[in-house]
Amino acid sequence: MSDTLVLPMFANMHCHLRQGVMLRNVLPHSAAHDGIILPMPNTDPHIANHVDVSMYFVEILNELTSLGHEETELLMTIKMTDDTTPEEIEQVAEQGIFGVKVYPEGKDSAGRELTTGASHGLTDFFAPRAIECFAMMAKHGLKLLLHGELPEADERYAEAYFIPTLLRLHELFLDLQISVEHVSCEAMVAAIKRLPSHIVGTVTPQHLLFTRAEMLSNPHLKCKPTIKTVFDRNALWSEVAVGNPKFLWGPDCAPHPRAAKEKPWEEAANGCFSAPIQPELLATKFSERHLEERLADFTSGFACRRYGLTVPKGTITLVREPLKVEQEYGGVVPIM
Ligand code: DOR
Ligand code: ZN
């Protein structure tokens, strides 16, 4: 970096804002640098339909307005379950929502849910009703946002085992725009690269910048999908480094109270909180690799071009100085 680096505000294609008190705690950090935010629908209870999503939109917009950030673009989503109907998909499409998030239903070998807010996921991607829903999404241009893991599989391979499902979905719905969220392994990177341009992946700081060893010794880095090997991390870096427009910034900032994270490993909540430090962290790491010129495309350009969004007009100015990280932000501990 020269002394300062000016970037367009980010297009954050994967963000957990939660609701109520936690929303008010974390939103200022994202709103400070994100011009576009895609809030995930795995709230408790989850955002299931057109009524929920309207109410959630208003809740977030009210908070943004009180922060003076009402210009932030919200890309709203609902969560698809076995109960979701094609009529509901059509209704939310007419309402102008961006996409539909799917968590595969299932438990791991210890009987735990796939990740935070994943229960009541989709049991069978190829059940007749699910097929009708995907067809409706394709018809209306709704994006399918996939948590791409096979719940029953060993966490190290759970994403790779999901690839056949991704390929079959693509074959059945050639026009369906699919985003594989929080890509974590080389095999999924390779699968996405081979598919057409409307099949993309999102990239998080935890999977791009941290190691499995760091995760295993720090519950604040515990997330799903888990952080894989250095080989997998390098595969992600390679795509980011060459400026592959199929890999979009989707940090998956997922706040949990400190007490829910600082527990024995198996019980610690999944989710990494990064919002307060995202721009500085990325700029530092891209700068170390002499990749600053790739940052703006990665953090906003690719997503905006892919989805026909307007690049945020606001800018972020980063000053070259050591990264400042607080111990916690309103009781939530950041990665680092
Ligand atoms: O680590 C994760 N945390 N992965 C997810 O998919 C959900 C998220 C959360 O909501 O906390
Ligand atoms: Zn997420």
Side-chain angles (χ1 to χ4, degrees):
M1 250 194 296
S2 58
D3 280 352
T4 58
L5 177 65
V6 180
L7 294 170
M9 290 179 87
F10 292 177
N12 178 344
M13 299 307 290
H14 185 136
C15 190
H16 298 269
L17 292 174
R18 316 299 191 206
Q19 291 171 295
V21 174
M22 186 61 99
L23 171 74
R24 287 193 285 283
N25 179 24
V26 299
L27 186 61
H29 299 294
S30 291
H33 49 71
D34 293 340
I36 298 172
I37 303 179
L38 187 154
M40 281 290 156
N42 66 333
T43 46
D44 184 14
H46 68 257
I47 308 301
N49 55 41
H50 63 284
V51 178
D52 297 345
V53 77
S54 297
M55 286 169 58
Y56 194 34
F57 175 77
V58 170
E59 183 180 7
I60 302 170
L61 189 60
N62 283 343
E63 283 307 313
L64 284 169
T65 304
S66 68
L67 293 167
H69 282 290
E70 60 277 3
E71 78 290 353
T72 306
E73 184 168 2
L74 293 171
L75 307 176
M76 299 306 293
T77 61
I78 64 161
K79 177 173 151 180
M80 179 173 164
T81 71
D82 293 341
D83 299 325
T84 306
T85 62
E87 292 75 26
E88 189 58 51
I89 298 289
E90 184 146 59
Q91 172 90 43
V92 293
E94 281 162 8
Q95 236 167 269
I97 77 157
F98 182 80
V100 176
K101 177 74 183 281
V102 177
Y103 294 88
E105 175 60 26
K107 303 267 189 285
D108 68 11
S109 55
R112 294 197 170 83
E113 69 172 1
L114 179 60
T115 187
T116 311
S119 58
H120 305 293
L122 186 63
T123 310
D124 180 357
F125 279 75
F126 305 102
R129 189 192 275 185
I131 292 279
E132 286 177 53
C133 287
F134 294 134
M136 194 62 87
M137 285 178 217
K139 179 178 166 195
H140 289 282
L142 282 183
K143 287 74 179 165
L144 172 60
L145 311 171
L146 287 175
H147 185 113
E149 288 194 286
L150 196 71
E152 302 78 27
D154 180 314
E155 45 86 10
R156 291 169 297 172
Y157 313 115
E159 186 173 277
Y161 279 124
F162 189 81
I163 293 171
T165 305
L166 170 67
L167 299 182
R168 196 169 157 207
L169 279 170
H170 170 61
E171 276 165 27
L172 280 173
F173 306 101
L174 288 174
D175 297 334
L176 182 60
Q177 301 180 66
I178 302 177
S179 175
V180 180
E181 299 303 308
H182 36 56
V183 177
S184 71
C185 76
E186 187 277 341
M188 185 60 90
V189 170
I192 292 170
K193 281 174 70 176
R194 281 196 300 271
L195 289 164
S197 57
H198 62 291
I199 314 300
V200 300
T202 57
V203 179
T204 79
Q206 49 272 24
H207 297 102
L208 189 63
L209 305 177
F210 292 86
T211 64
R212 187 170 174 83
E214 286 168 326
M215 175 189 72
L216 293 173
S217 62
N218 176 3
H220 296 289
L221 279 168
K222 188 183 177 203
C223 58
K224 286 297 291 297
T226 51
I227 298 173
K228 307 296 189 307
T229 65
V230 170
F231 171 70
D232 296 295
R233 191 176 68 155
N234 289 346
L236 278 170
W237 259 117
S238 296
E239 298 317 308
V240 172
V242 298
N244 186 335
K246 300 186 75 155
F247 292 87
L248 317 176
W249 175 237
D252 194 12
C253 178
H256 292 271
R258 183 190 274 271
K261 296 289 287 174
E262 294 181 355
K263 284 182 155 186
W265 180 258
E266 290 301 332
E267 289 159 37
N270 288 300
C272 298
F273 182 61
S274 56
I277 53 168
Q278 284 164 7
E280 294 78 8
L281 183 60
L282 273 186
T284 304
K285 298 297 173 182
F286 274 59
S287 173
E288 283 168 11
R289 290 170 173 77
H290 311 288
L291 289 171
E292 281 157 44
E293 75 282 3
R294 295 277 187 231
L295 256 174
D297 272 339
F298 178 56
T299 53
S300 60
F302 292 153
C304 291
R305 269 173 255 155
R306 170 79 252 136
Y307 297 124
L309 305 166
T310 304
V311 176
K313 287 189 193 59
T315 55
I316 317 168
T317 302
L318 296 163
V319 181
R320 187 199 279 276
E321 59 186 7
L323 189 58
K324 290 192 210 88
V325 189
E326 309 279 328
Q327 293 289 316
E328 60 170 65
Y329 297 82
V332 184
V333 179
I335 55 175
M336 287 303 279

